[in-house]
Amino acid sequence: MIVIFGSINMDLVARVQRIARPGETVLSRRADSFFGGKGSNQAVAAARVSHGGRMRVAMAGAVGNDPFGMACLKNLEENGIDVSAIRVTDEPTGCAFITVDEAGENAITVASGANMALRSADLPDSLLSKAAVLVLQMEVPIAENLEVAARARRAGVKVVWNFAPVPPIKERSAMAELLAVTDVLVVNEHEALAVADIAGTPAGEDYLKAGSAISSSFGSICIVTAGSRGAYAIAPDGTQAHATARPIVPVDTTGAGDTFVGVLANGIAEGLEVGRAMERACAAASLSCLTAGAQAGMPKRQVLDQHLSQA
Ligand code: RIB
């Protein structure tokens, strides 16, 4: 089983010619709503490749008692995800305001709402102990993430932690505390540099050097996703693996990183070695960019396997 502890949002998306600069107004023809939130996206990505539910996926999260919250819950259920650890709170459901430009690039502001009410206690031991992998991100309270990660480690559950967005901490000791309970850290190039800076292992603009420094200093595997350049995994002993990304013309890159994390977690839970799990995850992330919205383009297992076999 894979357990995701994280955020659930409704994404309100406007397509624009270019993303507004501070103080500027740009026009969009319309706004669309999509299911989102890094946690929910990662849960859906993992569930879609779970071979029709053979690898169970459960999510712990929090939504508001409002139409967005109810729709998000229904969406997770329809994707075959165990929602028994999702709490309905008095806070409004998380909402992300997203603009996507003509190149498929995005800018996102998240109003956290109910996500900040999520507590470690929302994930019962009975569920956590069944997991092979626990997946975390950074859109819920860090202290709760940290507590769940520590519980998972004690229970022998692997922790895959996506430091996105970059944790709002400044002290090396606080960063070290997070990395000490992480088995596999997943960051993009910018996050890798920021984490290395906070961790006291600055690497200038070299994201692979940042990944190596993080990995060797803190003993976790560091995976750096690099968009069209694919992804790199660096182990504490310096061993590196690279997975390439197939060239695509993106429609919307929102959720590509989450697709990568969810499919990676599925591969690790299935017992694949990290390099092989990364290849699958890269392919799934590319496919996810071909459709508008974070979750709509996430491939099912059959589509992904077909895509990989054609490569
Ligand atoms: O990673 C993409 C996600 O970030 C969006 O779905 C949005 O909800 C924000 O959480």
Short mmCIF file of all heavy atoms in Angstrom, two decimals, residues 7-11 34-39 41-42 95-98 106 108-110 139 162 164-165 253-258 294-295, ligand 1:
data_model
loop_
_atom_site.label_atom_id
_atom_site.label_comp_id
_atom_site.label_asym_id
_atom_site.label_seq_id
_atom_site.Cartn_x
_atom_site.Cartn_y
_atom_site.Cartn_z
N SER A 7 -1.84 17.61 0.78
CA SER A 7 -2.82 18.65 0.47
C SER A 7 -3.85 18.22 -0.58
O SER A 7 -3.58 17.39 -1.44
CB SER A 7 -2.08 19.88 -0.07
OG SER A 7 -1.33 19.51 -1.22
N ILE A 8 -5.01 18.86 -0.46
CA ILE A 8 -6.11 18.66 -1.42
C ILE A 8 -6.60 20.06 -1.79
O ILE A 8 -6.99 20.83 -0.91
CB ILE A 8 -7.25 17.86 -0.77
CG1 ILE A 8 -6.73 16.49 -0.29
CG2 ILE A 8 -8.42 17.70 -1.75
CD1 ILE A 8 -7.72 15.72 0.58
N ASN A 9 -6.56 20.40 -3.06
CA ASN A 9 -7.02 21.72 -3.50
C ASN A 9 -8.00 21.62 -4.65
O ASN A 9 -7.99 20.63 -5.39
CB ASN A 9 -5.85 22.57 -4.03
CG ASN A 9 -4.83 22.91 -2.98
OD1 ASN A 9 -5.15 22.98 -1.79
ND2 ASN A 9 -3.60 23.13 -3.40
N MET A 10 -8.77 22.68 -4.82
CA MET A 10 -9.46 22.88 -6.09
C MET A 10 -8.61 23.91 -6.84
O MET A 10 -8.24 24.95 -6.27
CB MET A 10 -10.88 23.41 -5.85
CG MET A 10 -11.70 23.48 -7.11
SD MET A 10 -11.92 21.88 -7.92
CE MET A 10 -13.35 21.25 -7.09
N ASP A 11 -8.24 23.61 -8.07
CA ASP A 11 -7.42 24.52 -8.88
C ASP A 11 -8.32 25.38 -9.77
O ASP A 11 -9.15 24.85 -10.52
CB ASP A 11 -6.47 23.74 -9.79
CG ASP A 11 -5.37 23.01 -9.01
OD1 ASP A 11 -5.26 23.24 -7.78
OD2 ASP A 11 -4.61 22.25 -9.64
N PHE A 34 -10.22 22.56 -11.79
CA PHE A 34 -9.67 21.21 -11.90
C PHE A 34 -9.33 20.71 -10.49
O PHE A 34 -9.02 21.51 -9.61
CB PHE A 34 -8.37 21.21 -12.72
CG PHE A 34 -8.53 21.60 -14.16
CD1 PHE A 34 -8.18 22.88 -14.58
CD2 PHE A 34 -9.01 20.71 -15.11
CE1 PHE A 34 -8.32 23.26 -15.91
CE2 PHE A 34 -9.15 21.07 -16.44
CZ PHE A 34 -8.80 22.35 -16.85
N PHE A 35 -9.34 19.39 -10.32
CA PHE A 35 -8.90 18.84 -9.04
C PHE A 35 -7.38 18.98 -8.94
O PHE A 35 -6.67 18.75 -9.92
CB PHE A 35 -9.31 17.38 -8.92
CG PHE A 35 -10.81 17.22 -8.93
CD1 PHE A 35 -11.47 16.64 -9.99
CD2 PHE A 35 -11.56 17.72 -7.87
CE1 PHE A 35 -12.85 16.53 -10.00
CE2 PHE A 35 -12.94 17.62 -7.87
CZ PHE A 35 -13.59 17.02 -8.94
N GLY A 36 -6.90 19.37 -7.75
CA GLY A 36 -5.47 19.58 -7.59
C GLY A 36 -5.03 19.43 -6.15
O GLY A 36 -5.70 18.79 -5.34
N GLY A 37 -3.92 20.07 -5.85
CA GLY A 37 -3.27 19.91 -4.55
C GLY A 37 -2.20 18.84 -4.73
O GLY A 37 -2.47 17.78 -5.30
N LYS A 38 -1.00 19.14 -4.27
CA LYS A 38 0.11 18.21 -4.53
C LYS A 38 -0.16 16.81 -3.98
O LYS A 38 0.12 15.81 -4.62
CB LYS A 38 1.42 18.77 -3.98
CG LYS A 38 1.86 20.02 -4.72
CD LYS A 38 3.21 20.52 -4.29
CE LYS A 38 3.47 21.93 -4.81
NZ LYS A 38 3.36 22.07 -6.26
N GLY A 39 -0.73 16.76 -2.77
CA GLY A 39 -1.00 15.45 -2.17
C GLY A 39 -2.01 14.67 -2.99
O GLY A 39 -1.79 13.51 -3.35
N ASN A 41 -2.92 15.15 -6.08
CA ASN A 41 -2.38 14.81 -7.41
C ASN A 41 -1.48 13.57 -7.32
O ASN A 41 -1.55 12.69 -8.18
CB ASN A 41 -1.54 15.97 -7.96
CG ASN A 41 -2.37 17.21 -8.27
OD1 ASN A 41 -3.59 17.13 -8.36
ND2 ASN A 41 -1.71 18.35 -8.42
N GLN A 42 -0.65 13.51 -6.30
CA GLN A 42 0.27 12.38 -6.18
C GLN A 42 -0.49 11.08 -5.90
O GLN A 42 -0.14 10.01 -6.41
CB GLN A 42 1.32 12.68 -5.11
CG GLN A 42 2.22 13.83 -5.55
CD GLN A 42 3.21 14.34 -4.53
OE1 GLN A 42 3.39 13.72 -3.47
NE2 GLN A 42 3.87 15.45 -4.82
N CYS A 95 -7.50 26.08 -2.08
CA CYS A 95 -7.79 26.57 -3.43
C CYS A 95 -6.49 27.08 -4.06
O CYS A 95 -5.74 27.80 -3.40
CB CYS A 95 -8.77 27.74 -3.28
SG CYS A 95 -9.95 27.80 -4.56
N ALA A 96 -6.23 26.69 -5.29
CA ALA A 96 -5.02 27.17 -5.96
C ALA A 96 -5.43 28.04 -7.15
O ALA A 96 -6.32 27.67 -7.92
CB ALA A 96 -4.19 26.00 -6.44
N PHE A 97 -4.81 29.21 -7.24
CA PHE A 97 -5.10 30.15 -8.33
C PHE A 97 -3.94 30.05 -9.31
O PHE A 97 -2.80 30.37 -8.96
CB PHE A 97 -5.25 31.57 -7.76
CG PHE A 97 -6.34 31.61 -6.71
CD1 PHE A 97 -6.03 31.43 -5.37
CD2 PHE A 97 -7.66 31.76 -7.09
CE1 PHE A 97 -7.03 31.41 -4.41
CE2 PHE A 97 -8.67 31.75 -6.13
CZ PHE A 97 -8.36 31.58 -4.79
N ILE A 98 -4.24 29.56 -10.49
CA ILE A 98 -3.16 29.18 -11.42
C ILE A 98 -3.34 29.91 -12.74
O ILE A 98 -4.44 29.96 -13.30
CB ILE A 98 -3.19 27.65 -11.68
CG1 ILE A 98 -3.11 26.88 -10.35
CG2 ILE A 98 -2.08 27.23 -12.63
CD1 ILE A 98 -3.12 25.37 -10.49
N ASN A 106 3.45 27.58 -15.71
CA ASN A 106 2.42 28.11 -14.83
C ASN A 106 2.99 28.97 -13.69
O ASN A 106 4.19 28.93 -13.43
CB ASN A 106 1.59 26.96 -14.25
CG ASN A 106 2.45 26.00 -13.44
OD1 ASN A 106 3.22 26.42 -12.58
ND2 ASN A 106 2.33 24.72 -13.70
N ILE A 108 1.55 29.73 -9.62
CA ILE A 108 0.50 29.22 -8.72
C ILE A 108 0.54 29.94 -7.38
O ILE A 108 1.61 30.12 -6.78
CB ILE A 108 0.72 27.70 -8.46
CG1 ILE A 108 0.77 26.91 -9.78
CG2 ILE A 108 -0.38 27.15 -7.55
CD1 ILE A 108 0.97 25.40 -9.61
N THR A 109 -0.64 30.35 -6.91
CA THR A 109 -0.78 30.84 -5.53
C THR A 109 -1.76 29.91 -4.83
O THR A 109 -2.87 29.68 -5.35
CB THR A 109 -1.35 32.27 -5.50
OG1 THR A 109 -0.48 33.11 -6.25
CG2 THR A 109 -1.46 32.80 -4.08
N VAL A 110 -1.37 29.37 -3.68
CA VAL A 110 -2.26 28.43 -2.98
C VAL A 110 -2.83 29.10 -1.73
O VAL A 110 -2.08 29.63 -0.90
CB VAL A 110 -1.50 27.15 -2.57
CG1 VAL A 110 -2.41 26.22 -1.77
CG2 VAL A 110 -0.98 26.41 -3.80
N GLU A 139 2.74 21.18 1.52
CA GLU A 139 1.60 22.09 1.53
C GLU A 139 0.73 21.91 2.77
O GLU A 139 -0.40 22.40 2.82
CB GLU A 139 0.76 21.90 0.26
CG GLU A 139 1.46 22.42 -0.99
CD GLU A 139 0.59 22.37 -2.24
OE1 GLU A 139 -0.23 21.44 -2.36
OE2 GLU A 139 0.75 23.25 -3.09
N ASN A 162 8.60 14.94 -1.08
CA ASN A 162 8.74 15.92 -2.14
C ASN A 162 8.77 17.32 -1.48
O ASN A 162 7.75 17.79 -1.01
CB ASN A 162 7.53 15.76 -3.07
CG ASN A 162 7.47 16.75 -4.22
OD1 ASN A 162 6.40 17.11 -4.69
ND2 ASN A 162 8.61 17.20 -4.69
N ALA A 164 8.30 20.31 -2.01
CA ALA A 164 7.69 21.31 -2.88
C ALA A 164 6.40 21.80 -2.23
O ALA A 164 5.57 20.97 -1.86
CB ALA A 164 7.37 20.71 -4.25
N PRO A 165 6.19 23.12 -2.08
CA PRO A 165 7.23 24.13 -2.31
C PRO A 165 8.33 24.03 -1.25
O PRO A 165 8.15 23.35 -0.24
CB PRO A 165 6.46 25.45 -2.17
CG PRO A 165 5.20 25.13 -1.44
CD PRO A 165 4.92 23.68 -1.61
N THR A 253 1.85 22.11 -17.85
CA THR A 253 2.82 21.36 -17.03
C THR A 253 2.36 21.23 -15.57
O THR A 253 3.05 20.60 -14.76
CB THR A 253 4.20 22.06 -17.05
OG1 THR A 253 4.03 23.40 -16.61
CG2 THR A 253 4.81 22.04 -18.44
N THR A 254 1.20 21.82 -15.22
CA THR A 254 0.73 21.74 -13.83
C THR A 254 0.55 20.27 -13.43
O THR A 254 -0.11 19.52 -14.14
CB THR A 254 -0.63 22.47 -13.68
OG1 THR A 254 -0.53 23.76 -14.25
CG2 THR A 254 -1.03 22.57 -12.21
N GLY A 255 1.16 19.88 -12.33
CA GLY A 255 0.98 18.52 -11.84
C GLY A 255 1.98 17.52 -12.41
O GLY A 255 1.96 16.35 -12.04
N ALA A 256 2.87 17.97 -13.31
CA ALA A 256 3.85 17.02 -13.90
C ALA A 256 4.76 16.48 -12.80
O ALA A 256 5.03 15.27 -12.73
CB ALA A 256 4.66 17.70 -14.98
N GLY A 257 5.21 17.37 -11.91
CA GLY A 257 6.07 16.93 -10.81
C GLY A 257 5.34 15.97 -9.89
O GLY A 257 5.91 14.99 -9.39
N ASP A 258 4.05 16.22 -9.68
CA ASP A 258 3.26 15.34 -8.81
C ASP A 258 3.06 13.98 -9.46
O ASP A 258 3.06 12.95 -8.78
CB ASP A 258 1.89 15.97 -8.51
CG ASP A 258 2.04 17.31 -7.81
OD1 ASP A 258 3.02 17.48 -7.06
OD2 ASP A 258 1.18 18.19 -8.01
N ALA A 294 -4.23 19.43 -13.68
CA ALA A 294 -3.16 18.65 -13.04
C ALA A 294 -3.37 17.15 -13.20
O ALA A 294 -2.42 16.39 -13.41
CB ALA A 294 -3.07 19.01 -11.57
N GLN A 295 -4.62 16.69 -13.11
CA GLN A 295 -4.84 15.24 -13.03
C GLN A 295 -5.35 14.60 -14.32
O GLN A 295 -5.19 13.39 -14.51
CB GLN A 295 -5.85 14.94 -11.90
CG GLN A 295 -5.32 15.35 -10.53
CD GLN A 295 -6.30 15.10 -9.40
OE1 GLN A 295 -7.34 14.46 -9.58
NE2 GLN A 295 -6.00 15.62 -8.23
O1 RIB B 1 1.83 20.79 -8.19
C1 RIB B 1 0.66 21.34 -8.74
C2 RIB B 1 -0.31 21.67 -7.66
O2 RIB B 1 0.23 22.68 -6.84
C3 RIB B 1 -1.62 22.22 -8.17
O3 RIB B 1 -2.57 21.22 -8.42
C4 RIB B 1 -2.03 23.18 -7.07
O4 RIB B 1 -3.16 22.77 -6.36
C5 RIB B 1 -0.82 23.32 -6.16
O5 RIB B 1 -0.99 22.66 -4.98
#
